[in-house]
Amino acid sequence: MAAPPDNDVLWARALHVKHNGSPALTGVSLGVREGEILAISGPRGSGKTTLLQCLSGQLLAQQGEVWFNSTPVHAMTPTKRERLRRDRFGWIDPAPVLVPELTAWENAALLLMLRGVSRRRAKTAALEWLDRLDVGGCARKRPYALLQSERQRVAIARALAPAPSVIFADEPTAPLHRADRAQVLRTLTAAARSHGITVVLATHDADTAAFADRTVSLLDGRHVHTVHLPPVPEQTEPTIPTSPTSPTSPTETEGRAACSLSA
């Protein structure tokens, strides 16, 4: 069993996953560099979510390996994988999953408090991220009193607040209006770069993938390489040659007239 390259914080080799007998991933391999924002693109049903679940230790592939910082995630016990997800990873779902009994700031601070951070420090960090995501005014509201887009921003703040090593974002801007997506993605990617957080972003949207440093494409559970065809040259108007029987040009007419006068 070969160890992954030293410069890859995440590394997967030959992942094979089947759901109810149907292939979800077929031999997918990739590496993610530390601090990189990587987009996993592809149409719905191409295996993006399954790949994120394997990389984050939520799902064990039937075949293949997943490594995090040279540690084999696929060989960990369920308890160690759960601790890894809690302490080192963040996760953003396409639909926000919040604790209904907690306020927005308590939801955003939840992972910090689970790590043993004091309530005061956790609240300060949570409020900072809620403000940066333009939902600071909702801090004391419970999820039922929030709009879907506000709940999603709270979920993103919860993932960012603990400053994890890796954030897995599965269609993170799906509930947002198009006008809000760019602002939220700018906040997420700027925060990741400033804090050295690696982001693995699943999306079927080209505009979302454009925020990443690099894009890996999936199709029917396979890693595909996009072939960039050379541009088609612009067509110019064809030149029509002058036939012997065509009418003479004005220049030829003038030349013949001059010859006649000389004679």
Side-chain angles (χ1 to χ4, degrees):
M1 183 169 59
D6 292 336
N7 60 341
D8 284 346
V9 66
L10 278 170
W11 190 68
R13 176 166 56 193
L15 297 181
H16 291 261
V17 177
K18 289 185 177 181
H19 294 313
N20 298 322
S22 300
L25 295 177
T26 306
V28 173
S29 300
L30 82 161
V32 188
R33 294 183 291 273
E34 187 172 2
E36 181 179 30
I37 298 175
L38 176 69
I40 309 294
S41 70
R44 298 187 189 279
S46 59
K48 302 187 299 296
T49 299
T50 301
L51 179 56
L52 262 63
Q53 290 174 339
C54 289
L55 293 174
S56 63
Q58 294 184 46
L59 177 67
L60 286 180
Q62 281 92 33
Q63 297 179 45
E65 304 172 10
V66 174
W67 297 71
F68 168 69
N69 280 342
S70 301
T71 300
V73 177
H74 56 280
M76 289 181 174
T77 64
T79 301
K80 287 184 177 180
R81 287 201 309 275
E82 182 179 351
R83 188 180 303 122
L84 175 68
R85 294 195 301 271
R86 184 192 65 199
D87 295 342
R88 305 299 297 276
F89 294 164
W91 182 275
I92 304 171
D93 278 301
V97 181
L98 303 178
V99 180
E101 295 82 8
L102 301 181
T103 64
W105 81 258
E106 288 170 333
N107 269 285
L110 182 59
L111 296 180
L112 283 169
M113 290 190 287
L114 288 175
R115 292 183 184 183
V117 177
S118 69
R119 183 178 177 88
R120 177 176 295 180
R121 287 180 55 197
K123 182 177 182 179
T124 299
L127 291 175
E128 177 186 346
W129 283 112
L130 291 175
D131 283 338
R132 291 178 67 172
L133 289 160
D134 292 336
V135 284
C138 303
R140 296 187 177 277
K141 294 182 180 180
R142 286 184 166 78
Y144 73 86
L146 300 176
L147 299 174
Q148 178 81 345
S149 60
E150 292 171 336
R151 290 196 291 270
Q152 184 68 353
R153 291 170 190 260
V154 173
I156 293 172
R158 180 180 59 193
L160 285 166
S165 299
V166 184
I167 287 180
F168 298 93
D170 186 9
E171 301 282 3
T173 58
L176 303 178
H177 294 295
R178 182 169 294 275
D180 296 332
R181 292 177 188 172
Q183 187 268 339
V184 170
L185 286 168
R186 276 194 296 269
T187 301
L188 173 61
T189 54
R193 291 190 170 97
S194 64
H195 290 72
I197 301 172
T198 303
V199 177
V200 185
L201 170 69
T203 182
H204 67 279
D205 180 54
D207 291 338
T208 299
F211 282 84
D213 301 316
R214 183 166 59 99
T215 300
V216 170
S217 298
L218 293 184
L219 183 63
D220 295 334
R222 297 178 184 272
H223 180 186
V224 297
H225 299 276
T226 302
V227 178
H228 297 283
L229 298 176
V232 178
E234 295 184 3
Q235 293 185 350
T236 58
E237 291 293 329
T239 303
I240 302 175
T242 304
S243 63
T245 58
S246 62
T248 55
S249 65
T251 304
E252 293 173 340
T253 303
E254 291 171 2
R256 290 180 182 178
C259 292
S260 299
L261 291 174
S262 300

